[in-house]
């Protein structure tokens, strides 16, 4: 419990958690507070914020409720960010573990594949993938995961390379455990902490990538996304800058929140491990 | 007939461009129920021999026959199955277990892998194993890092005997323990040997302990066998230079341990 207390004494971490909590609350309450399609017309077009209290953040070019769009957009951002990061971490951890544990040719092949993915800029890869397969939420998640799994894979491999020389791995072989069981039951769980430490950076990057894809019109067309909102607002940037600024601020706060909370968690667990 | 025969084992490592033989043309045999000690100065290749015998590393030359079969020819499932008969206890009992494991899981693994007991039967087997090595059955629920070093080494022995092996390799298995605990563990090993006719390949640099529990000894020096023979005869009157040096460097040996029937290694 002292870890929790230390966590709560770090103002940055608390700020991060508060932002994330607000974000989750937005995502979860979106369809309660704003039932129905957030893309339907709710009032006059281009109503500025704080004019009409039934539409606190005003309306966009087509008269849609910006606040409702913001809430529903939080959903997409969170869902895509978390799902893509989870997929990237899982794929990276498995590939890194296989490469590091098997060694030899398997390692060589897997690491060349990792190199290949890493030499292509991640965003271009995601962009190409979505343009070829077509935009939908699942495809966007896969595209982002494709462009971010290499980091976790490298970290996992480095960790596994040191763990596989430990006595307990030799001990597992001596009792006749299958190599795959050794890799995934004995080695992988012990290689996870440094891999999971990457998760805040990856979630933040995934949210930004999703926004960027949506901004370019490659997001799921059936969902409101912050990136899509920014892109929409761009056409009326001079007359109604708030249309881009509001989702932009939401995006920045989210990424900041994820990052601060993640750093706080990594730091407190690191201190805890250092003490024990 | 011998239980394990190692013939002309060789293992080379390249270090800084040139190859060095960590183990060079080493041959020995272990009879059922026998304790063969492997002694020698640090870096003489003792652990390398242990790893070769356990097929944790592959030799560059030589052969191993275990229980009548060419052990080096086994692979995959056949090797994993045969591993039940050839177990190991490591020097550092903390490093030898997954840091996340509990005592129960550590003992459950060999029982499960070799199909020794069905799932429902295993908790009882684990309790029996713990009791056999002098631990309370309640210890099963503890995490490995929550028990003492001596208890951990007993768990390691319990794990090694779980699959009813005919040979256990002990690489400095008592070196990290303090003297009184060391005596109890040696006693336990001797009891198990009498009871189940287990053979030991006992690696140690401590000639006092070796003299107390080994039947025969092989002295290694720089990867080669310097001298071998009856453990007490060799230690009492070493002929090789390295044997003389090791005996001279050893703390006062208690020469009467086996004679008076007591098997406890007492050593100041
Ligand atoms: N993986 C390896 N790579 C390179 N050299 C190695 C490797 N393993 C062992 N050696 C070398 O082989 C020699 C024998 O090592 P080994 O660990 O078998 O000695 P030992 O007799 O067990 O020593 P100690 O009493 O210190 O445990 C040493 O010179 C060591 O440096
Ligand atoms: Mg050694």
């Amino acid at each position: 419990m002292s870890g929790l207390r230390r966590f709560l004494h770090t103002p940055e971490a608390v700020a991060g958690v508060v932002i994330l909590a607000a974000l989750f609350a937005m995502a979860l309450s979106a369809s309660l507070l704003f039932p129905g399609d957030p893309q339907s017309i709710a009032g006059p077009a281009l109503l500025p914020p704080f004019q009409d209290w039934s539409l606190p953040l005003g309306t966009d070019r087509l008269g849609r409720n910006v606040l409702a769009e913001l809430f529903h957009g939080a959903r997409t951002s969170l869902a895509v960010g978390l799902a893509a990061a989870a997929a990237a971490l899982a794929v990276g951890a498995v590939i890194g573990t296989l490469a590091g544990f098997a060694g030899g040719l398997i390692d060589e092949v897997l690491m060349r594949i990792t190199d290949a993915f890493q030499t292509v800029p991640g965003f271009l890869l995601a962009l190409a993938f979505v343009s070829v397969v077509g935009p939908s939420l699942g495809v966007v998640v896969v595209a982002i995961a494709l462009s971010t799994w290499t980091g976790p894979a490298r970290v996992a491999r480095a960790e596994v390379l040191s763990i596989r020389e430990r006595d307990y791995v030799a001990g597992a072989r001596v009792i006749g455990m299958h190599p795959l069981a050794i890799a995934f039951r004995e080695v992988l769980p012990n290689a996870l902490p440094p891999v999971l430490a990457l998760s805040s950076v990856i979630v933040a990057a995934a949210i930004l990538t999703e926004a960027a894809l949506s901004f370019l019109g490659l997001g799921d067309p059936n969902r409101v996304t912050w990136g899509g909102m920014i892109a929409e607002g761009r056409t009326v940037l001079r007359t109604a800058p708030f249309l881009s600024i509001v989702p932009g601020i939401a995006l920045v706060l989210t990424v900041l929140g994820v990052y601060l909370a993640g750093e706080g968690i990594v730091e407190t667990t690191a201190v805890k491990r250092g003490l024990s | 007939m011998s239980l394990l025969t190692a013939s002309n084992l060789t293992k080379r490592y390249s270090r800084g461009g040139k190859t060095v033989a960590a183990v060079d043309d080493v041959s020995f045999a272990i009879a059922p129920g026998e304790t063969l000690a492997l002694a020698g100065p640090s870096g003489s290749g003792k652990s390398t021999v242990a790893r070769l015998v356990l097929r944790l590393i592959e030799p560059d030359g030589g052969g191993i026959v275990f229980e009548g079969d060419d052990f080096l020819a086994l692979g995959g499932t056949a090797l994993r199955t045969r591993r039940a008969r050839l177990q190991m206890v490591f020097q550092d009992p903390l490093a030898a277990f997954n840091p996340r494991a509990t005592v129960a899981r550590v003992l459950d693994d060999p029982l499960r892998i070799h199909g020794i007991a069905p799932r429902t039967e295993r908790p009882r087997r684990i309790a029996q194993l713990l009791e056999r090595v002098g631990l309370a059955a309640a210890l099963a629920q503890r995490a490995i890092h929550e028990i003492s070093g001596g208890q951990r080494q007993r768990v390691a022995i319990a794990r090694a005997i779980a699959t009813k092996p005919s040979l256990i390799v002990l690489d400095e298995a008592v070196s990290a323990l303090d003297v009184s605990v060391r005596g109890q563990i040696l006693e336990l090993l001797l009891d198990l040997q009498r009871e189940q006719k287990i053979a030991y390949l006992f690696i140690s640099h401590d000639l006092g302990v070796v003299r107390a529990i080994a039947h025969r000894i092989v002295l290694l020096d720089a990867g080669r066998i310097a001298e071998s023979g009856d453990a007490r005869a060799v230690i009492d009157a070493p002929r090789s230079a390295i044997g003389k040096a090791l005996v001279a460097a050893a703390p006062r040996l208690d020469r009467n341990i086996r004679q008076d029937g007591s098997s406890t290694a007492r050593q100041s």
Side-chain angles (χ1 to χ4, degrees), chain B residues 144-219:
Chain B
I144 281 295
H145 61 82
E146 289 172 346
I147 61 178
S148 75
Q151 288 173 324
R152 238 176 253 139
Q153 203 58 307
R154 285 178 193 269
V155 171
I157 293 169
R159 167 147 136 152
I161 60 171
T163 54
K164 300 245 177 298
S166 57
L167 174 62
I168 299 180
V169 176
L170 302 127
D171 189 355
E172 308 273 11
V174 294
S175 310
L177 306 172
D178 70 53
V179 176
S180 65
V181 178
R182 180 185 304 174
Q184 294 163 6
I185 298 281
L186 289 172
E187 193 102 51
L188 170 65
L189 289 172
L190 289 175
D191 281 352
L192 288 170
Q193 183 166 61
R194 270 194 294 271
E195 211 174 85
Q196 305 181 15
K197 272 192 74 80
I198 304 172
Y200 295 133
L201 177 59
F202 187 88
I203 297 174
S204 180
H205 59 262
D206 184 338
L207 292 182
V209 170
V210 166
R211 193 176 181 287
I213 80 157
H215 300 102
R216 288 188 308 119
I217 186 170
V218 168
L219 276 181

Coordinates of all heavy atoms in Angstrom, one line a residue, chain B residues 144-219:
Chain B
I144 N 8.6 -19.0 -3.1 CA 10.0 -19.4 -3.0 C 10.8 -18.4 -2.2 O 11.7 -18.8 -1.5 CB 10.6 -19.7 -4.4 CG1 10.1 -21.0 -4.9 CG2 12.1 -19.6 -4.4 CD1 10.6 -22.2 -4.1
H145 N 10.6 -17.1 -2.5 CA 11.4 -16.1 -1.8 C 11.1 -15.9 -0.4 O 11.7 -15.1 0.3 CB 11.4 -14.8 -2.6 CG 10.1 -14.2 -2.7 ND1 9.5 -13.4 -1.7 CD2 9.1 -14.2 -3.7 CE1 8.3 -13.0 -2.0 NE2 8.0 -13.5 -3.2
E146 N 10.0 -16.6 0.1 CA 9.6 -16.4 1.5 C 10.1 -17.4 2.4 O 9.8 -17.5 3.6 CB 8.0 -16.4 1.6 CG 7.3 -15.2 1.0 CD 5.8 -15.4 1.0 OE1 5.4 -16.6 1.2 OE2 5.1 -14.5 0.7
I147 N 11.0 -18.4 1.9 CA 11.5 -19.4 2.8 C 13.0 -19.3 2.9 O 13.6 -18.6 2.1 CB 11.1 -20.8 2.3 CG1 11.6 -21.1 0.9 CG2 9.6 -21.0 2.3 CD1 11.3 -22.5 0.4
S148 N 13.6 -19.9 3.9 CA 15.0 -19.7 4.1 C 15.9 -20.5 3.1 O 15.3 -21.4 2.4 CB 15.4 -20.2 5.5 OG 15.4 -21.6 5.5
G149 N 17.1 -20.2 3.0 CA 18.0 -20.8 2.1 C 18.1 -22.3 2.3 O 18.1 -23.1 1.3
G150 N 18.1 -22.8 3.5 CA 18.2 -24.2 3.8 C 16.9 -24.9 3.4 O 16.9 -26.0 2.8
Q151 N 15.8 -24.2 3.7 CA 14.5 -24.8 3.3 C 14.4 -24.9 1.7 O 13.9 -25.8 1.2 CB 13.3 -23.9 3.8 CG 13.1 -24.0 5.3 CD 12.1 -23.0 5.8 OE1 12.0 -21.9 5.3 NE2 11.3 -23.4 6.8
R152 N 14.9 -23.8 1.1 CA 14.9 -23.8 -0.4 C 15.7 -25.0 -0.9 O 15.3 -25.6 -1.9 CB 15.5 -22.5 -0.8 CG 14.6 -21.6 -1.7 CD 15.3 -20.3 -2.0 NE 14.7 -19.3 -1.2 CZ 15.3 -18.3 -0.6 NH1 16.6 -18.3 -0.7 NH2 14.7 -17.4 0.0
Q153 N 16.8 -25.2 -0.3 CA 17.6 -26.3 -0.9 C 16.9 -27.7 -0.6 O 17.0 -28.6 -1.4 CB 19.0 -26.3 -0.3 CG 20.1 -27.0 -1.1 CD 20.3 -26.4 -2.5 OE1 19.3 -26.3 -3.2 NE2 21.5 -26.0 -2.9
R154 N 16.2 -27.8 0.5 CA 15.4 -29.0 0.7 C 14.3 -29.1 -0.4 O 14.0 -30.2 -0.9 CB 14.8 -29.0 2.1 CG 15.8 -29.3 3.2 CD 15.1 -29.2 4.6 NE 16.1 -29.2 5.6 CZ 16.5 -30.3 6.2 NH1 16.0 -31.5 5.9 NH2 17.4 -30.2 7.2
V155 N 13.7 -28.0 -0.7 CA 12.7 -28.0 -1.8 C 13.3 -28.4 -3.1 O 12.7 -29.2 -3.9 CB 12.0 -26.6 -1.9 CG1 11.1 -26.6 -3.2 CG2 11.2 -26.3 -0.7
A156 N 14.5 -27.9 -3.3 CA 15.2 -28.3 -4.6 C 15.5 -29.8 -4.6 O 15.3 -30.5 -5.6 CB 16.6 -27.6 -4.7
I157 N 15.8 -30.4 -3.4 CA 16.0 -31.8 -3.4 C 14.7 -32.6 -3.6 O 14.6 -33.6 -4.3 CB 16.7 -32.2 -2.0 CG1 18.1 -31.7 -2.0 CG2 16.7 -33.7 -1.9 CD1 18.8 -31.7 -0.7
A158 N 13.6 -32.0 -3.0 CA 12.3 -32.6 -3.1 C 11.9 -32.7 -4.6 O 11.4 -33.6 -5.2 CB 11.3 -31.9 -2.3
R159 N 12.2 -31.6 -5.3 CA 11.9 -31.5 -6.7 C 12.7 -32.5 -7.5 O 12.2 -33.1 -8.4 CB 12.2 -30.1 -7.2 CG 12.2 -29.9 -8.7 CD 11.7 -28.6 -9.1 NE 12.4 -28.0 -10.2 CZ 11.9 -27.1 -11.0 NH1 10.6 -26.8 -10.9 NH2 12.6 -26.5 -11.9
A160 N 14.0 -32.6 -7.1 CA 14.9 -33.6 -7.8 C 14.4 -35.0 -7.6 O 14.5 -35.8 -8.6 CB 16.3 -33.4 -7.4
I161 N 13.9 -35.4 -6.5 CA 13.5 -36.8 -6.2 C 12.1 -37.0 -6.7 O 11.6 -38.2 -6.7 CB 13.7 -37.2 -4.8 CG1 12.8 -36.4 -3.8 CG2 15.2 -37.2 -4.4 CD1 12.8 -36.9 -2.4
A162 N 11.3 -36.0 -7.1 CA 9.9 -36.1 -7.4 C 9.7 -37.1 -8.6 O 8.7 -37.8 -8.6 CB 9.3 -34.8 -7.8
T163 N 10.7 -37.2 -9.5 CA 10.5 -38.1 -10.6 C 11.2 -39.4 -10.5 O 11.4 -40.1 -11.5 CB 11.0 -37.4 -11.9 OG1 12.4 -36.9 -11.7 CG2 10.2 -36.1 -12.2
K164 N 11.6 -39.7 -9.3 CA 12.3 -41.0 -9.0 C 13.5 -41.2 -9.9 O 13.6 -42.2 -10.7 CB 11.4 -42.2 -9.2 CG 10.1 -42.1 -8.3 CD 10.1 -43.3 -7.3 CE 9.0 -43.2 -6.3 NZ 9.0 -42.0 -5.5
P165 N 14.5 -40.3 -9.8 CA 15.7 -40.4 -10.6 C 16.6 -41.5 -10.2 O 16.6 -41.9 -9.0 CB 16.3 -39.0 -10.5 CG 16.0 -38.6 -9.1 CD 14.6 -39.2 -8.8
S166 N 17.5 -41.9 -11.1 CA 18.6 -42.8 -10.6 C 19.9 -42.1 -10.4 O 20.8 -42.6 -9.8 CB 18.8 -43.9 -11.7 OG 19.0 -43.3 -13.0
L167 N 19.9 -40.9 -10.9 CA 21.2 -40.1 -10.7 C 20.8 -38.6 -10.5 O 19.9 -38.1 -11.2 CB 22.1 -40.2 -12.0 CG 23.3 -39.3 -12.0 CD1 24.3 -39.7 -10.9 CD2 24.0 -39.5 -13.4
I168 N 21.4 -38.0 -9.5 CA 21.2 -36.6 -9.3 C 22.6 -35.9 -9.3 O 23.6 -36.4 -8.7 CB 20.6 -36.3 -7.9 CG1 19.2 -36.9 -7.9 CG2 20.4 -34.8 -7.7 CD1 18.5 -36.7 -6.5
V169 N 22.7 -34.9 -10.1 CA 23.9 -34.1 -10.2 C 23.8 -32.9 -9.2 O 22.8 -32.2 -9.3 CB 24.1 -33.5 -11.6 CG1 25.4 -32.6 -11.7 CG2 24.2 -34.6 -12.6
L170 N 24.7 -32.8 -8.3 CA 24.7 -31.7 -7.3 C 25.9 -30.8 -7.5 O 27.0 -31.2 -7.2 CB 24.7 -32.3 -5.9 CG 23.6 -33.3 -5.6 CD1 24.2 -34.6 -5.1 CD2 22.6 -32.8 -4.6
D171 N 25.7 -29.7 -8.1 CA 26.8 -28.8 -8.4 C 26.9 -27.8 -7.3 O 26.2 -26.8 -7.2 CB 26.5 -28.0 -9.7 CG 27.8 -27.2 -10.2 OD1 28.7 -27.2 -9.4 OD2 27.7 -26.6 -11.3
E172 N 27.9 -28.0 -6.4 CA 28.1 -27.2 -5.2 C 26.8 -27.0 -4.4 O 26.5 -25.9 -3.9 CB 28.6 -25.8 -5.6 CG 29.8 -25.8 -6.6 CD 31.2 -25.9 -5.8 OE1 31.1 -26.1 -4.6 OE2 32.2 -25.7 -6.4
A173 N 26.1 -28.1 -4.3 CA 24.7 -27.9 -3.8 C 24.7 -27.6 -2.3 O 23.7 -27.1 -1.8 CB 23.9 -29.3 -3.9
V174 N 25.8 -27.7 -1.6 CA 25.8 -27.4 -0.2 C 26.7 -26.2 0.1 O 26.8 -25.8 1.3 CB 26.1 -28.6 0.8 CG1 25.1 -29.6 0.7 CG2 27.5 -29.1 0.4
S175 N 27.4 -25.7 -0.9 CA 28.4 -24.7 -0.7 C 27.9 -23.4 -0.1 O 28.6 -22.7 0.6 CB 29.2 -24.4 -2.0 OG 29.6 -25.6 -2.5
A176 N 26.6 -23.1 -0.5 CA 26.1 -21.8 -0.1 C 25.5 -21.8 1.2 O 25.0 -20.8 1.7 CB 25.1 -21.3 -1.2
L177 N 25.4 -23.0 1.8 CA 24.7 -23.1 3.1 C 25.7 -23.0 4.3 O 26.8 -23.3 4.2 CB 24.0 -24.5 3.2 CG 23.1 -24.8 2.0 CD1 22.6 -26.2 2.0 CD2 21.9 -23.8 2.0
D178 N 25.2 -22.5 5.4 CA 26.1 -22.4 6.6 C 26.3 -23.8 7.2 O 25.5 -24.8 6.9 CB 25.6 -21.4 7.6 CG 24.4 -21.8 8.3 OD1 24.4 -22.9 8.9 OD2 23.4 -21.0 8.3
V179 N 27.3 -23.9 8.0 CA 27.8 -25.3 8.3 C 26.8 -26.2 8.9 O 26.7 -27.4 8.5 CB 29.0 -25.1 9.3 CG1 29.6 -26.5 9.7 CG2 30.1 -24.3 8.6
S180 N 26.0 -25.7 9.8 CA 25.0 -26.7 10.5 C 24.0 -27.1 9.5 O 23.6 -28.3 9.5 CB 24.4 -26.0 11.7 OG 23.6 -24.9 11.3
V181 N 23.5 -26.2 8.7 CA 22.5 -26.6 7.7 C 23.1 -27.5 6.7 O 22.5 -28.5 6.3 CB 21.9 -25.3 7.0 CG1 20.9 -25.7 5.9 CG2 21.3 -24.3 7.9
R182 N 24.3 -27.3 6.3 CA 25.1 -28.1 5.4 C 25.1 -29.6 5.9 O 24.8 -30.5 5.1 CB 26.5 -27.6 5.2 CG 27.3 -28.4 4.2 CD 28.7 -27.9 4.2 NE 28.8 -26.5 3.9 CZ 29.9 -25.7 3.9 NH1 31.0 -26.3 4.3 NH2 29.8 -24.5 3.6
G183 N 25.4 -29.7 7.2 CA 25.4 -31.1 7.7 C 24.1 -31.8 7.6 O 24.0 -32.9 7.2
Q184 N 23.0 -31.0 7.9 CA 21.6 -31.7 7.8 C 21.3 -32.1 6.4 O 20.7 -33.1 6.1 CB 20.6 -30.7 8.3 CG 20.7 -30.4 9.8 CD 19.9 -29.1 10.1 OE1 19.2 -28.5 9.3 NE2 20.1 -28.7 11.4
I185 N 21.7 -31.2 5.4 CA 21.3 -31.5 4.0 C 22.1 -32.7 3.6 O 21.6 -33.6 2.9 CB 21.7 -30.3 3.1 CG1 20.8 -29.1 3.5 CG2 21.5 -30.6 1.7 CD1 19.4 -29.1 3.1
L186 N 23.4 -32.8 4.0 CA 24.2 -34.0 3.6 C 23.6 -35.2 4.2 O 23.6 -36.3 3.5 CB 25.7 -33.8 4.1 CG 26.5 -32.7 3.3 CD1 27.8 -32.5 3.9 CD2 26.6 -33.1 1.8
E187 N 23.2 -35.1 5.4 CA 22.5 -36.3 6.0 C 21.3 -36.7 5.2 O 21.1 -37.9 5.0 CB 22.1 -35.8 7.4 CG 21.7 -36.9 8.4 CD 22.8 -37.2 9.3 OE1 23.3 -36.3 10.0 OE2 23.2 -38.4 9.4
L188 N 20.5 -35.7 4.8 CA 19.3 -36.0 4.0 C 19.7 -36.7 2.7 O 19.1 -37.7 2.3 CB 18.6 -34.7 3.7 CG 17.4 -34.8 2.7 CD1 16.3 -35.7 3.3 CD2 16.9 -33.4 2.4
L189 N 20.7 -36.2 2.1 CA 21.2 -36.8 0.8 C 21.6 -38.3 1.0 O 21.3 -39.2 0.2 CB 22.3 -36.0 0.2 CG 21.9 -34.6 -0.3 CD1 23.2 -33.8 -0.7 CD2 21.0 -34.8 -1.5
L190 N 22.3 -38.5 2.1 CA 22.8 -39.9 2.4 C 21.6 -40.8 2.7 O 21.5 -42.0 2.2 CB 23.8 -39.9 3.5 CG 25.1 -39.3 3.2 CD1 26.0 -39.2 4.4 CD2 25.8 -40.1 2.1
D191 N 20.6 -40.3 3.4 CA 19.4 -41.1 3.7 C 18.7 -41.5 2.4 O 18.3 -42.6 2.2 CB 18.4 -40.3 4.6 CG 18.8 -40.3 6.0 OD1 19.7 -41.0 6.4 OD2 18.2 -39.5 6.8
L192 N 18.5 -40.5 1.5 CA 17.8 -40.7 0.3 C 18.6 -41.7 -0.6 O 18.0 -42.6 -1.2 CB 17.6 -39.4 -0.5 CG 16.6 -38.4 0.1 CD1 16.7 -37.1 -0.6 CD2 15.2 -39.0 -0.1
Q193 N 19.9 -41.6 -0.5 CA 20.7 -42.6 -1.3 C 20.5 -44.0 -0.8 O 20.3 -44.9 -1.6 CB 22.2 -42.2 -1.2 CG 23.1 -43.1 -2.0 CD 24.4 -42.5 -2.2 OE1 25.1 -42.2 -1.2 NE2 24.8 -42.2 -3.4
R194 N 20.5 -44.2 0.5 CA 20.3 -45.5 1.1 C 18.9 -46.0 0.7 O 18.7 -47.2 0.3 CB 20.4 -45.5 2.6 CG 21.9 -45.7 3.1 CD 21.9 -45.9 4.6 NE 21.4 -44.8 5.4 CZ 22.3 -43.8 5.8 NH1 23.5 -43.9 5.5 NH2 21.8 -42.8 6.5
E195 N 17.9 -45.2 0.8 CA 16.6 -45.6 0.7 C 16.2 -45.9 -0.8 O 15.5 -46.9 -1.1 CB 15.7 -44.3 1.1 CG 14.4 -44.6 1.7 CD 13.9 -43.2 2.1 OE1 13.3 -42.5 1.3 OE2 14.1 -42.8 3.3
Q196 N 16.6 -45.0 -1.7 CA 16.2 -45.2 -3.1 C 17.3 -45.5 -4.1 O 17.1 -45.5 -5.3 CB 15.5 -43.8 -3.5 CG 14.4 -43.4 -2.6 CD 13.8 -42.1 -3.0 OE1 13.9 -41.6 -4.2 NE2 13.0 -41.5 -2.1
K197 N 18.5 -45.8 -3.5 CA 19.6 -46.2 -4.3 C 19.9 -45.2 -5.4 O 20.2 -45.5 -6.6 CB 19.4 -47.6 -5.0 CG 19.9 -48.7 -4.0 CD 20.0 -50.1 -4.7 CE 21.2 -50.2 -5.7 NZ 22.5 -50.5 -5.1
I198 N 19.8 -43.9 -5.1 CA 20.1 -42.9 -6.0 C 21.7 -42.7 -6.1 O 22.3 -42.7 -5.1 CB 19.5 -41.5 -5.6 CG1 18.0 -41.7 -5.4 CG2 19.8 -40.4 -6.6 CD1 17.3 -40.5 -4.8
A199 N 22.2 -42.5 -7.3 CA 23.6 -42.2 -7.4 C 23.7 -40.7 -7.5 O 22.8 -40.0 -7.9 CB 24.1 -42.8 -8.7
Y200 N 24.9 -40.2 -7.0 CA 25.1 -38.7 -7.0 C 26.4 -38.4 -7.8 O 27.4 -39.1 -7.6 CB 25.3 -38.1 -5.6 CG 24.1 -38.2 -4.7 CD1 24.2 -38.7 -3.4 CD2 22.9 -37.8 -5.2 CE1 23.1 -38.8 -2.6 CE2 21.7 -37.8 -4.4 CZ 21.9 -38.3 -3.1 OH 20.8 -38.4 -2.3
L201 N 26.3 -37.4 -8.6 CA 27.6 -36.8 -9.2 C 27.7 -35.5 -8.3 O 27.0 -34.6 -8.5 CB 27.5 -36.5 -10.6 CG 28.7 -35.8 -11.2 CD1 29.9 -36.6 -11.1 CD2 28.5 -35.5 -12.7
F202 N 28.6 -35.6 -7.4 CA 28.7 -34.6 -6.3 C 29.9 -33.6 -6.6 O 31.0 -34.0 -6.5 CB 28.9 -35.3 -5.0 CG 28.8 -34.3 -3.8 CD1 27.5 -34.0 -3.2 CD2 29.9 -33.7 -3.3 CE1 27.5 -33.2 -2.1 CE2 29.8 -32.9 -2.2 CZ 28.6 -32.6 -1.6
I203 N 29.5 -32.4 -7.0 CA 30.6 -31.5 -7.4 C 30.8 -30.5 -6.2 O 29.9 -30.0 -5.6 CB 30.2 -30.6 -8.6 CG1 30.0 -31.6 -9.8 CG2 31.1 -29.5 -8.9 CD1 29.4 -30.9 -11.0
S204 N 32.1 -30.5 -5.8 CA 32.4 -29.6 -4.7 C 33.9 -29.3 -4.7 O 34.7 -30.0 -5.2 CB 32.1 -30.4 -3.4 OG 32.4 -29.5 -2.3
H205 N 34.2 -28.1 -4.2 CA 35.6 -27.8 -4.0 C 36.0 -28.1 -2.6 O 37.2 -27.9 -2.2 CB 35.9 -26.4 -4.4 CG 35.1 -25.4 -3.6 ND1 34.0 -24.8 -4.0 CD2 35.3 -24.9 -2.3 CE1 33.5 -24.0 -3.1 NE2 34.3 -24.1 -2.1
D206 N 35.1 -28.5 -1.8 CA 35.3 -28.7 -0.3 C 35.7 -30.2 -0.1 O 34.8 -31.1 0.0 CB 34.0 -28.4 0.4 CG 34.2 -28.4 1.9 OD1 35.1 -29.2 2.4 OD2 33.4 -27.8 2.6
L207 N 37.0 -30.5 0.1 CA 37.4 -31.8 0.2 C 37.0 -32.5 1.5 O 36.8 -33.7 1.5 CB 39.0 -31.9 0.1 CG 39.5 -31.6 -1.3 CD1 41.0 -31.7 -1.4 CD2 38.8 -32.5 -2.4
G208 N 36.7 -31.7 2.5 CA 36.2 -32.2 3.7 C 34.8 -32.9 3.5 O 34.6 -34.0 3.9
V209 N 33.9 -32.2 2.8 CA 32.6 -32.7 2.5 C 32.7 -33.9 1.6 O 32.1 -35.0 1.8 CB 31.7 -31.6 1.9 CG1 30.4 -32.2 1.3 CG2 31.4 -30.6 2.9
V210 N 33.6 -33.8 0.6 CA 33.8 -34.9 -0.4 C 34.2 -36.2 0.3 O 33.7 -37.2 0.1 CB 34.8 -34.5 -1.5 CG1 35.3 -35.7 -2.3 CG2 34.2 -33.4 -2.4
R211 N 35.2 -36.0 1.2 CA 35.7 -37.2 1.9 C 34.6 -37.8 2.8 O 34.6 -39.0 2.9 CB 36.9 -36.7 2.8 CG 37.7 -37.9 3.3 CD 38.9 -37.4 4.1 NE 39.7 -38.5 4.6 CZ 39.3 -39.3 5.6 NH1 38.1 -39.1 6.2 NH2 40.0 -40.3 6.0
A212 N 33.7 -37.0 3.2 CA 32.7 -37.5 4.1 C 31.6 -38.3 3.4 O 31.0 -39.2 3.9 CB 32.0 -36.3 4.9
I213 N 31.3 -37.9 2.1 CA 30.1 -38.5 1.5 C 30.4 -39.3 0.2 O 29.6 -40.0 -0.2 CB 28.9 -37.6 1.3 CG1 29.1 -36.7 0.1 CG2 28.7 -36.7 2.5 CD1 27.8 -36.2 -0.4
A214 N 31.6 -39.0 -0.4 CA 31.8 -39.6 -1.7 C 32.5 -41.0 -1.6 O 33.3 -41.2 -0.7 CB 32.6 -38.7 -2.6
H215 N 32.1 -41.9 -2.5 CA 32.8 -43.2 -2.6 C 34.1 -43.0 -3.5 O 35.1 -43.5 -3.1 CB 31.9 -44.2 -3.3 CG 30.6 -44.4 -2.5 ND1 29.4 -43.9 -2.9 CD2 30.4 -45.1 -1.3 CE1 28.5 -44.3 -2.0 NE2 29.1 -45.0 -1.0
R216 N 33.9 -42.4 -4.6 CA 35.1 -42.2 -5.5 C 35.2 -40.7 -5.8 O 34.3 -40.0 -5.7 CB 35.0 -43.1 -6.7 CG 35.2 -44.6 -6.4 CD 35.2 -45.4 -7.7 NE 34.1 -45.1 -8.5 CZ 34.3 -44.6 -9.8 NH1 35.5 -44.4 -10.3 NH2 33.2 -44.4 -10.5
I217 N 36.4 -40.4 -6.3 CA 36.6 -39.0 -6.7 C 37.3 -38.9 -8.0 O 38.1 -39.7 -8.4 CB 37.4 -38.3 -5.6 CG1 37.5 -36.8 -5.8 CG2 38.8 -38.9 -5.4 CD1 38.1 -36.0 -4.6
V218 N 37.0 -37.8 -8.7 CA 37.7 -37.5 -9.9 C 38.2 -36.0 -9.7 O 37.4 -35.1 -9.4 CB 36.8 -37.5 -11.2 CG1 37.5 -36.9 -12.4 CG2 36.4 -38.9 -11.5
L219 N 39.5 -35.8 -9.8 CA 40.1 -34.5 -9.6 C 40.3 -33.9 -11.0 O 41.0 -34.5 -11.8 CB 41.4 -34.6 -8.9 CG 41.3 -34.6 -7.4 CD1 42.8 -34.7 -6.8 CD2 40.6 -33.4 -6.8

